[in-house]
Amino acid sequence: MEWLRNSLIVLSVLPVLPFLLVYYISVAMGRGKKPALQLAMDVTTVFLLFSVSALFNNIFHSGFGFYLILLLVLIAAGLIGGAQNRLKGKVDGKRLLRVVWRLGFLVMGAGYVLFMVIGMIKYILQVMS
């Protein structure tokens, strides 16, 4: 069971690994490139969620990172669902979930890069002083 825990930690610290693993395995199994990319994005979003929230907590000395991301996802779902309701007259739950999840991938991917750079700069400055 320890190996599973360590594997999940490594995949959360380096979320590009599960992305590449899922993408290449999916392509090797005969899926097209676009469905493989979408599946890789969907799987990686889970690891990005934990990684970005941990980076946020580390940088800002907080325990609120996961809840902040969850709050932002819920706000995005509300806004997108409201827009969908205004335009089409109804909300397609499956489509809403897919849009919010993939939008989360893009935003958390950018957040991962930003927080990783900030964390490295902060660490370097601490070591130098």
Side-chain angles (χ1 to χ4, degrees):
M1 219 40 182
E2 188 70 23
W3 65 271
L4 180 62
R5 181 176 163 264
N6 291 338
S7 298
L8 290 174
I9 290 171
V10 167
L11 293 175
S12 291
V13 170
L14 299 169
V16 79
L17 288 178
F19 181 85
L20 293 174
L21 283 171
V22 170
Y23 179 76
Y24 287 120
I25 290 172
S26 233
V27 168
M29 290 178 60
R31 284 185 162 214
K33 289 185 179 183
K34 184 176 179 179
L37 180 68
Q38 291 172 340
L39 179 63
M41 287 171 58
D42 292 343
V43 170
T44 305
T45 303
V46 175
F47 295 105
L48 280 170
L49 176 66
F50 293 118
S51 181
V52 171
S53 64
L55 286 168
F56 179 89
N57 291 343
N58 189 8
I59 290 170
F60 297 108
H61 304 291
S62 168
F64 189 65
F66 180 78
Y67 302 110
L68 178 64
I69 292 172
L70 187 62
L71 177 66
L72 293 175
V73 166
L74 290 173
I75 289 171
L79 291 173
I80 294 170
Q84 201 178 60
N85 189 37
R86 275 193 307 278
L87 292 174
K88 308 241 181 195
K90 63 179 179 144
V91 176
D92 182 4
K94 185 177 177 182
R95 189 174 181 146
L96 173 66
L97 182 63
R98 187 173 43 230
V99 167
V100 170
W101 196 249
R102 294 200 178 137
L103 185 64
F105 171 81
L106 293 173
V107 171
M108 285 188 285
Y112 176 79
V113 171
L114 177 68
F115 289 155
M116 191 62 93
V117 169
I118 290 171
M120 282 191 254
I121 291 171
K122 184 178 173 185
Y123 177 76
I124 291 168
L125 291 175
Q126 283 177 352
V127 168
M128 291 176 65
S129 60

